Amino acid sequence: MSEAFHEAFSGEEAAYWLDVCLEQMAQGRPREEALQRVPEAYRAEVASLLPMAQALQEAPRVTPRKDFRRQAWPRLRHALAQRTSARQGTSWPWRFFRLSQGTRSSRWSVVWAGLMALLAALFVGVTLTYASADALPGDPLYPVKIWTENLQLWLAGPERDLELYERFVQRRLEEIHALMVLGRYEDVPQALQRWEEQRQRLTAAFQTLPPDQRAYVLTALLQREAVHEQQLARLIEDAPPQAQSALAQAYETSQKWREALQQALEAPTDCGPASGAPKPPHSTSPCAENNTSPHPSEKGHDNDPEREKGQAPTQSPSPEAGQTPAAEPTPGQGQGQGQGQGRGQGQDEHPQGPGRGRGKGKGKGQGQRRKP
Amino acid sequence: MEKRELRHLLQRVLRGDVEAFGAFYERMLDRIFRYLFYRTGHLQDAEDLTEEVFLKAWEALHRTREVPDHPEAWLYRIAHNAVVDHYRTRKMHASLDDLKGPPSATTDTPEDAVLATERLQDLMDKLHRLPPIYQQVLICRFIQGLSHKEVAQVLGTNENHARILQYRALKRLREEMAKEEGHE
């Protein structure tokens, strides 16, 4: 057994017996009596250490000076107040961070964490929405754009469905145009498919309209559809062979749809949509008589290419409207028939009206305006 | 019992009660000052460090927001770290002249005061020749009167090791005294 090991071992034993002896003395036993309990092998060692322990135990009980005692607490309190205000006065973002780390109560930590998560989600959502605004079919962010449109529909409620679907149909056509410009012809069929879907939804939304509103909307749709057809025709002209067939097909579909709309508009049936078709505006039924206010979508007729060609896709809707332009034509009241002539002609084709009114409109290529 | 009261005071401090910290300070001031005085051997340093220790305690309490299980041992640990930092940043200047007119040792007569001062001077001289860990054990155990369990908490060790450290520190002190007597 090495000397170091022996020393360590004996040291541990001696430490124990020293402690026993000190405890005995602390309990009031005399030094000699306490030493008697220590095994003889350690007694001398322990006895030699007791004076050291005693000297330390009898060390003067020093206390702070009176001045220090008097001044220290006010000084310390002042320092604490400064540190407290420093902690409370830290900059706003740091305090926010500390709160989120849970230095406050756990309830507040949860609230702050939730708030931060909400803010982060909002930030990501807004960024994605903005980033996806110009996305085209085939882009990674395009589904976000579609999702945003669906959300917009959901938030707007059913009463704005038609308006939004009409806007989205137009947007799909713009996307097709953008794809062509960029030369991404492989994505054109997908975009056309989207356009078709959107138009079907528009039709479905149309059928949910009250009968007395359908005539106006139908008129507006016809005009828009004519515009779309023109746009498609231009696209076909510019398209390379690989995209032409899909576009031609789309053009055909669009034409058929417009014809169906036109037929629905001219069919003298009741207000309800026969096989989805709306009732024409010149009907004698009460629903036609209720058509007393112009549809907002008619505001855009001035720019309608159909009008520019001198075509009159719709008629004056009510007998009264038929009379008025014939008797005293007023600006904007007839249907424009030829921009080049400088004057529009109003025409009332209402079969049940008191007379066929024919008047001259003063406006250039003025759109149709109904008078109640 | 005292431990529970100290913990209660610290809990009040965490709720923003500064006066509770004042009460905690009053209870611990003498003990911490004495520890620091024997560790540094310098009156002014002991006073400065005493204030620093309580400030650090307040900060630690608000940083962790947890009341320590053993407030006294916790405060001695802060004091020990303050001494270590003190020696790290400054040269040890335990001028024994500072012990003249020292923090009032509890004496009755001027003769007693002189004797006490001489004894204190002698003891400080010997203590400061020991390694810091031995100083810490001897001061905590014999001057501050902590139990082995409390010393172990201050040192962050177990009771048995604290007992062995006490034995070795006393042995080393005996050797220092023997060396001094040999010189004389």
Side-chain angles (χ1 to χ4, degrees), chain A residues 55-370:
Chain A
L56 287 166
Q57 282 169 336
E58 289 167 5
R61 310 269 310 162
V62 289
T63 52
R65 291 177 305 164
K66 282 178 186 169
D67 283 354
F68 174 76
R69 192 182 282 281
R70 195 173 55 247
Q71 293 163 1
W73 173 239
R75 204 163 45 227
L76 185 63
R77 192 174 176 173
H78 179 68
L80 293 180
Q82 277 185 331
R83 292 193 185 204
T84 305
S85 60
R87 284 172 77 90
Q88 288 170 348
T90 46
S91 60
W92 188 86
W94 175 240
R95 283 170 68 188
F96 188 83
F97 179 67
R98 273 190 11 236
L99 284 169
S100 68
Q101 277 190 326
T103 51
R104 304 278 168 173
S105 70
S106 57
R107 187 167 61 91
W108 276 108
S109 301
V110 170
V111 170
W112 278 106
L115 195 63
M116 286 183 79
L118 190 68
L119 281 173
L122 266 175
F123 176 75
V124 170
V126 168
T127 309
L128 275 177
T129 305
Y130 270 104
S132 68
D134 294 330
L136 296 171
D139 285 349
L141 284 177
Y142 190 72
V144 178
K145 186 179 185 177
I146 298 298
W147 184 85
T148 311
E149 286 178 357
N150 291 337
L151 182 71
Q152 206 175 341
L153 281 165
W154 183 75
L155 289 173
E159 64 274 10
R160 286 194 62 207
D161 273 1
L162 202 70
E163 181 193 336
L164 288 170
Y165 278 130
E166 205 270 331
R167 191 188 299 171
F168 297 158
V169 167
Q170 177 62 26
R171 199 177 282 176
R172 295 295 89 83
L173 269 177
E174 286 164 4
E175 287 167 2
I176 295 166
H177 185 247
L179 287 171
M180 304 269 290
V181 168
L182 293 170
R184 287 169 53 182
Y185 304 114
E186 69 280 5
D187 292 320
V188 168
Q190 188 197 341
L192 281 167
Q193 191 187 343
R194 288 267 177 201
W195 174 63
E196 181 60 33
E197 282 171 14
Q198 210 67 262
R199 219 174 46 179
Q200 283 171 8
R201 285 184 191 173
L202 175 63
T203 309
F206 174 82
Q207 288 178 1
T208 61
L209 280 178
D212 57 339
Q213 291 179 14
R214 287 180 186 166
Y216 312 133
V217 176
L218 192 61
T219 306
L221 280 178
L222 264 169
Q223 290 162 357
R224 298 298 290 174
E225 195 58 28
V227 176
H228 293 165
E229 267 183 45
Q230 279 194 336
Q231 289 171 341
L232 270 174
R234 276 199 292 270
L235 287 173
I236 291 168
E237 282 173 19
D238 300 339
Q242 64 264 38
Q244 266 189 358
S245 63
L247 282 168
Q249 198 179 347
Y251 183 76
E252 264 182 43
T253 314
S254 177
Q255 263 189 329
K256 281 177 189 170
W257 196 62
R258 190 164 73 89
E259 282 165 11
L261 287 176
Q262 188 71 47
Q263 282 171 8
L265 189 67
E266 288 167 3
T269 56
D270 59 7
C271 293
S275 66
K279 182 188 178 309
H282 54 274
S283 166
T284 53
S285 67
C287 61
E289 287 166 9
N290 290 337
N291 295 343
T292 53
S293 61
H295 193 275
S297 61
E298 291 175 16
K299 287 173 188 171
H301 289 181
D302 288 354
N303 298 327
D304 190 319
E306 293 287 330
R307 290 251 165 252
E308 288 170 10
K309 287 177 183 174
Q311 295 172 2
T314 55
Q315 297 83 23
S316 186
S318 69
E320 291 80 8
Q323 280 180 331
T324 307
E328 47 175 291
T330 53
Q333 277 179 343
Q335 289 179 340
Q337 291 214 350
Q339 190 178 359
Q341 295 173 3
R343 283 175 181 272
Q345 286 186 340
Q347 182 178 13
D348 183 11
E349 294 177 0
H350 201 296
Q352 302 297 327
R356 290 176 75 85
R358 187 173 282 275
K360 288 185 177 180
K362 284 183 181 176
K364 263 188 176 180
Q366 290 292 326
Q368 166 190 338
R369 179 170 171 183
R370 300 183 187 90

Side-chain angles (χ1 to χ4, degrees), chain B residues 46-174:
Chain B
E47 287 179 350
D48 291 347
L49 284 173
T50 302
E51 282 190 41
E52 197 180 314
V53 165
F54 281 99
L55 266 175
K56 283 184 175 176
W58 186 88
E59 280 185 340
L61 197 62
H62 283 84
R63 190 173 56 248
T64 60
R65 315 268 326 157
E66 279 180 14
V67 175
D69 291 336
H70 307 282
E72 193 177 352
W74 169 72
L75 203 58
Y76 278 121
R77 267 205 307 277
I78 293 174
H80 168 72
N81 292 336
V83 172
V84 170
D85 288 347
H86 170 76
Y87 283 132
R88 195 179 292 153
T89 53
R90 298 185 217 172
K91 273 187 173 180
M92 184 180 169
H93 50 280
S95 164
L96 294 180
D97 291 340
D98 288 325
L99 297 179
K100 289 174 184 171
S104 53
T106 46
T107 53
D108 294 332
T109 63
E111 291 79 15
D112 286 344
V114 171
L115 279 173
T117 304
E118 281 176 2
R119 197 150 48 90
L120 187 58
Q121 205 168 328
D122 186 45
L123 183 66
M124 299 286 277
D125 188 31
K126 291 182 179 69
L127 262 180
H128 287 126
R129 289 181 207 159
L130 303 183
I133 184 82
Y134 290 168
Q135 288 181 40
Q136 201 179 0
V137 169
L138 293 180
I139 292 169
C140 284
R141 181 82 178 107
F142 297 110
I143 298 177
Q144 302 292 81
L146 301 187
S147 67
H148 281 306
K149 189 179 176 183
E150 289 166 327
V151 172
Q153 283 162 1
V154 174
L155 299 177
T157 183
N158 58 44
E159 281 185 55
N160 200 38
H161 190 229
R163 193 176 284 118
I164 292 170
L165 282 174
Q166 169 192 276
Y167 166 71
R168 290 178 184 166
L170 284 173
K171 258 178 76 170
R172 184 69 183 269
L173 187 62
R174 186 185 63 190

